[in-house]
Amino acid sequence: MSNAIDQTRRMLSLVTYLKERPGAEVAEVARAFGISERELINDLNVLPMCGTSFRGGDLLDIDTDGDRIWWHNVDDVAQPLRLAADEATALLVAARAVAGLPGLRERDRQALTRAVAKIEDAAGESAAGSARVGVTFEAEGQVFADIDRALSEGRLIWLRYYSHGRGGMTEREVDPIRLVSEGHTYLEGWCRVSEDRRLFRLDRVAEIKVLDEPADPPRLEPRDLSAGLVSPAADDPEVVVEVGPGGRWVAEYYTHDSAEELPDGGLRITLRSADPAGLRPLALRLGRDGRIVAPAELAEQARAAAEAALRGYQEGQA
């Protein structure tokens, strides 16, 4: 699977590619970039969050109907980028933080360091404040480093891990198999408690120890991750989401049982989730383009979360 650096490179090329090919077919673009249509849809979901201003200026108005890709404001964002002082500071702080992440390939770290130097030179005095601000990813970064060491040394791992499915902290002994990334970074390993292969999100690891005992995972065929990291179980709770035309991407992004066409061009999507509450951010992201219909309790939670977010925004504006 591609990492964040690979995805960033691909999306930069994708912007140029789409600019020159209005209405490009999804299947054609996926073939051109050597990725699955699902990976391409994931990229297209990120691009509308990008633009020429960190303060919410001209964002890329790119969408897809599932067959073709449309970029509606090519001319609006074609002007050369000019960084304001706060934008230069934010970019430099973020770049330095990413350059310090464990697991980053050395050539990518060097390239990022060179880019930081160029931005500092271009920003001049406006970049001076960025040197006094730092961001660290101490917790997840240390977990990553310990798992990476356990993998290289072939050693067993002990975890204190928050499990959404069990609703609390659990302790596990895990034979590590590999690290994988899709949105979040996960450890794939053989859980000796469950006696099965499991995925553990690194940001949910509260404590980790690399044990002296050698790891001994069963000989397993590598999982096919082309359909995503998480495959819902048949007995997971059922969730129904209705989306308008602008939310049809949900059917591409989420594994689902069915997607029925609606008269307005939208979809009624039925899916399963071991943690239905984890879909509340989806409802917030959809906004007017969709809503959770069932279960009723989850629909009410999503509505309450949206109202709370709106109040917070209004208070912030005031």
Side-chain angles (χ1 to χ4, degrees), residues 189-233:
W190 180 263
C191 176
R192 296 191 178 185
V193 174
S194 304
E195 296 186 340
D196 198 0
R197 177 162 45 187
R198 290 286 188 268
L199 286 170
F200 302 93
R201 254 178 61 172
L202 266 59
D203 61 348
R204 294 179 181 166
V205 175
E207 188 177 355
I208 181 170
K209 296 177 184 177
V210 180
L211 305 179
D212 292 333
E213 182 179 344
D216 186 26
R219 295 185 178 276
L220 301 168
E221 288 293 324
R223 285 183 53 186
D224 179 10
L225 302 179
S226 60
L229 293 177
V230 181
S231 299

Side-chain angles (χ1 to χ4, degrees), residues 170-294:
T170 61
E171 295 186 8
R172 316 285 187 97
E173 287 188 346
V174 180
D175 297 282
I177 297 174
R178 59 176 171 168
L179 285 160
V180 293
S181 178
E182 185 179 281
H184 296 278
T185 304
Y186 297 80
L187 163 67
E188 182 180 8
W190 180 263
C191 176
R192 296 191 178 185
V193 174
S194 304
E195 296 186 340
D196 198 0
R197 177 162 45 187
R198 290 286 188 268
L199 286 170
F200 302 93
R201 254 178 61 172
L202 266 59
D203 61 348
R204 294 179 181 166
V205 175
E207 188 177 355
I208 181 170
K209 296 177 184 177
V210 180
L211 305 179
D212 292 333
E213 182 179 344
D216 186 26
R219 295 185 178 276
L220 301 168
E221 288 293 324
R223 285 183 53 186
D224 179 10
L225 302 179
S226 60
L229 293 177
V230 181
S231 299
D235 57 350
D236 283 343
E238 185 178 274
V239 178
V240 179
V241 182
E242 288 187 354
V243 301
R248 293 179 67 94
W249 58 266
V250 174
E252 298 287 341
Y253 190 81
Y254 288 88
T255 302
H256 55 277
D257 294 340
S258 64
E260 304 171 14
E261 293 286 344
L262 295 176
D264 65 352
L267 295 171
R268 181 182 176 91
I269 303 168
T270 302
L271 54 87
R272 297 182 182 277
S273 173
D275 177 29
L279 293 174
R280 281 180 295 186
L282 170 63
L284 294 175
R285 180 179 177 186
L286 283 169
R288 295 180 178 179
D289 286 329
R291 64 191 181 98
I292 294 175
V293 176

